[in-house]
Structures are given as structure tokens and as C-alpha cells.
Amino acid sequence: MNEHYKTIDSEVWNGRIDDEKDYDAFRWHQIVKPINLFETKDKCLKGFGLLGFCCDKGVQRNLGRKGTSTAPNSIRKEMVNLPCSFSQETNIYDCGNIVSKGAELEDLQEILASAVYKMLKLELFPIILGGGHEIAYGHYLGIERYLSEQKNENLGIFNLDAHFDMRPYKNGPSSGTMFAQIADRCETQSKEFNYMVAGIQQYGNTVSLFKKADKLNVKYLMARDISRDTMFSVGQDIVRFTKKQSKIYLTLCSDVISSAYAPGVSAPQPFGLHPEIILKLIKTLIQSGKVMSFDIAEVSPRFDEDNRTSKLAAIIVFAVINSVVEFGGASD
């Protein structure tokens, strides 16, 4: 475990200081607390936990563009000077990084599952920074483990993505197979597979994948049907989905966003969604009060221009935290 889990270097959280006493002038680097997730003795921290998944093995297996392993610290760099626009009681902990260092993808996903489980036990709202979208399987396993100790808690998965990520995995899992793996796991455990995805591109998914989604009763919204003009009906579709779930795991693949705003991703999408629409969809989900965890995947600094995609990812995390605080979660 220790070989593949590293606490964050405190030097990462250094930035400009406008005032050392006035909280209204504070920036994130002044309040983020680095911790060793697996050594903390606290029974309850409450707040938000940031964790990096420095891995692109799933992307490589999926024949995508490698580069996502450096994303967590690149996104952190863009978070450093974000303003503390939430209440002073809000805590943000940096729980470090999971690093590949020659490990197999499946082992790293198990480590991620243990980390997510520990964060939830500490009453933290996990925010996982990818890394490839293979992050989703490990993240799900951690939530599943935690919810198995709760009563009557069914989980819905909401994915913002250009792809279903339900490809066959007979030759091993990748960043394109996670939700097929989860569906199969749900079947073996006699659980419902509650999966909704928004932003699907017809040119990015085979006919077979659409048929599989229909067979598994996956709810999906095509990117072409999501716009400012359709936000009311889209919001209604999301509300219908959230009402049927006890808890929701929210995951975002950066390739759902138009490459005009997110050029540094594994699979750029020229017809992707506008960032403002992404933020509205996220807020609609969080308003349900059921979102318990979030991750953002497929940011690839290797292909980024002026850190635009990392900056966008940081702003999305900023919006998630502020929305969760606004609707009464993850604070003392």
C-alpha cells in the first residue's frame, strides 16, 4: 500500500496571500490541510477530501492518448489561488496521490477503493482527481463497500461523458470498460444497475454499445439534445433519475466538454458540451442532496494549452464544493 500511496508535498499548496487574518481574502492554499489518509486516527473529519489517481494505464489499454497520470497535481496547481467563497466551517483535506509505479491497473483500483472507503468512513466527501476514467471502477468499489454497511442505500451512477464506457473486457479492463464491469458486478450481487449518462456522442459509440445500453436500461442523453434551450426538459430527466436513488456517485469524463474549452483530454470532442451547461447539470444533481462522491477524469496536461483544461477542471471542482456547501453537506 505505502509504495503506491503518497501524501501530498506541502509545497504544492503555496500561492499568493492577500491577507493572513481576513478569511474573506483567503485562497484555497491557506485552508487546505494535507493528511495521511491511512494513518489518521480521527473517527470523523467532515469536509471534502481531495485524492489524486496518477494513472493512465487504462487509457493506454484503451488505445487512447497517454498523459493523464500527471493531471492531479496539474489540477491542484490551478486550485491553489481559488477564493474561499464558502463558509469558514468548510474543511478541505488533501489526502495525497495514488501512484502507479509499475503496479497493475487492477491493483491500483483496489487501492483506490480502500482510499474512497476510508474517506467516507471519515465523513469526507471524496473528490478524486484522475487519471484515466478507469478511476470509476475503483471509486465505485469503495462506495459499494461503504454502502454495504448502511441500511437500504441503493446507488445511482451519473456520468457526464461522450462515451458509454461499456465495452467488452475479455482481454482485461481499461478506461472504456468500467460501467460494463459494474453492470456485471451488480448482476452477480442481484442489485439494480442504476446508470445514467449525459453527453453521449453518436459518432463516439458503436451500434452495439447503444444496443447494450438499451438492454441494461441505461438512461442516456445525447450531446446534441443538451443545450441552453433544452435545459428545463433535461433537468426534468435528471430529477426523475435522482428521485429513484438513495445516493448518487457523480463522475465526469473531461471529453464530454467541447475541445474548444478542453483541448487537453485523452479523446477531444469538437462537438462536446459547453462548460456552462456542465456546471448547470452538476448543480441540478447536487440539488437533490444525494450526491455523495465526485471524480473528474481524462484531463491530459501533455496535450493542454496554457493549462486551460486543468484550469477548467479546477473550476468544476470549485463549483462542486460550493454547490455541496450551498445545499447543506460536507461541513461541520
Side-chain angles (χ1 to χ4, degrees):
M1 175 72 76
N2 290 340
E3 182 183 359
H4 302 293
Y5 171 74
K6 302 295 181 184
T7 54
I8 198 67
D9 186 339
S10 60
E11 290 300 308
V12 170
W13 290 102
N14 276 323
R16 74 171 63 96
I17 295 176
D18 296 341
D19 196 289
E20 294 183 350
K21 295 181 179 180
D22 179 12
Y23 185 81
D24 288 343
F26 277 20
R27 302 177 186 275
W28 278 25
H29 71 90
Q30 292 175 271
I31 62 113
V32 170
K33 307 176 185 72
I35 63 170
N36 186 316
L37 185 60
F38 294 101
E39 290 184 2
T40 181
K41 303 300 181 184
D42 295 270
K43 292 183 179 179
C44 174
L45 291 177
K46 285 198 175 182
F48 299 88
L50 305 174
L51 177 71
F53 186 70
C54 303
C55 174
D56 54 15
K57 291 178 178 291
V59 173
Q60 184 177 16
R61 288 186 186 181
N62 202 31
L63 304 181
R65 306 194 302 175
K66 289 184 64 178
T68 58
S69 61
T70 61
N73 280 0
S74 180
I75 296 171
R76 284 183 175 99
K77 181 181 177 182
E78 302 302 330
M79 291 177 175
V80 164
N81 287 315
L82 289 172
C84 296
S85 54
F86 33 70
S87 69
Q88 195 164 348
E89 289 72 35
T90 302
N91 296 311
I92 303 177
Y93 300 91
D94 193 322
C95 302
N97 288 323
I98 294 169
V99 295
S100 57
K101 281 199 169 181
E104 291 297 323
L105 171 59
E106 294 82 353
D107 294 331
L108 295 170
Q109 288 172 322
E110 283 295 331
I111 295 170
L112 176 58
S114 297
V116 169
Y117 171 77
K118 181 65 182 289
M119 293 166 83
L120 291 168
K121 292 290 283 186
L122 290 170
E123 296 191 37
L124 293 175
F125 182 105
I127 296 178
I128 316 301
L129 311 174
H133 209 180
E134 65 267 23
I135 196 174
Y137 190 63
H139 197 160
Y140 171 83
L141 291 179
I143 296 172
E144 177 193 72
R145 193 175 305 168
Y146 174 77
L147 289 182
S148 69
E149 300 174 355
Q150 316 300 310
K151 291 183 179 179
N152 302 318
E153 297 283 14
N154 71 301
L155 179 68
I157 302 168
F158 194 99
N159 182 21
L160 290 158
D161 204 329
H163 308 96
F164 286 112
D165 288 339
M166 297 177 64
R167 294 177 57 216
Y169 55 98
K170 59 186 176 183
N171 296 322
S174 73
S175 63
T177 67
M178 309 80 61
F179 300 109
Q181 293 173 260
I182 293 171
D184 289 345
R185 188 174 178 87
C186 287
E187 184 178 9
T188 61
Q189 296 177 342
S190 299
K191 293 180 180 177
E192 284 190 48
F193 177 54
N194 301 312
Y195 178 42
M196 183 171 185
V197 54
I200 289 291
Q201 298 285 0
Q202 187 166 3
Y203 60 76
N205 298 272
T206 64
V207 172
S208 176
L209 287 170
F210 278 98
K211 288 181 176 179
K212 184 170 186 175
D214 291 336
K215 181 180 178 181
L216 292 173
N217 198 30
V218 174
K219 308 293 186 296
Y220 57 90
L221 298 169
M222 304 296 292
R224 63 174 180 248
D225 296 326
I226 304 174
S227 67
R228 290 182 178 89
D229 294 335
T230 63
M231 281 307 295
F232 179 74
S233 61
V234 167
Q236 286 184 315
D237 288 337
I238 293 174
V239 169
R240 277 191 287 270
F241 176 76
T242 60
K243 280 185 175 180
K244 296 178 181 178
Q245 321 305 327
S246 299
K247 298 291 183 183
I248 294 169
Y249 157 40
L250 174 58
T251 178
L252 186 154
C253 184
S254 300
D255 68 22
V256 74
I257 304 168
S258 167
S259 55
Y261 306 98
V265 300
S266 299
Q269 301 297 326
F271 289 97
L273 300 180
H274 192 284
E276 286 184 2
I277 287 178
I278 293 294
L279 294 181
K280 287 180 180 178
L281 297 177
I282 288 173
K283 189 164 186 177
T284 299
L285 283 153
I286 292 175
Q287 279 180 313
S288 71
K290 297 178 179 180
V291 177
M292 64 180 294
S293 195
F294 172 73
D295 64 44
I296 185 165
E298 304 279 343
V299 173
S300 193
R302 176 184 171 195
F303 301 102
D304 213 356
E305 299 172 11
D306 297 326
N307 297 326
R308 285 159 55 194
T309 315
S310 291
K311 185 180 289 293
L312 179 57
I315 293 170
I316 290 171
V317 172
F318 176 82
V320 167
I321 289 181
N322 278 281
S323 295
V324 172
V325 171
E326 180 182 353
F327 296 106
S331 63
D332 289 335

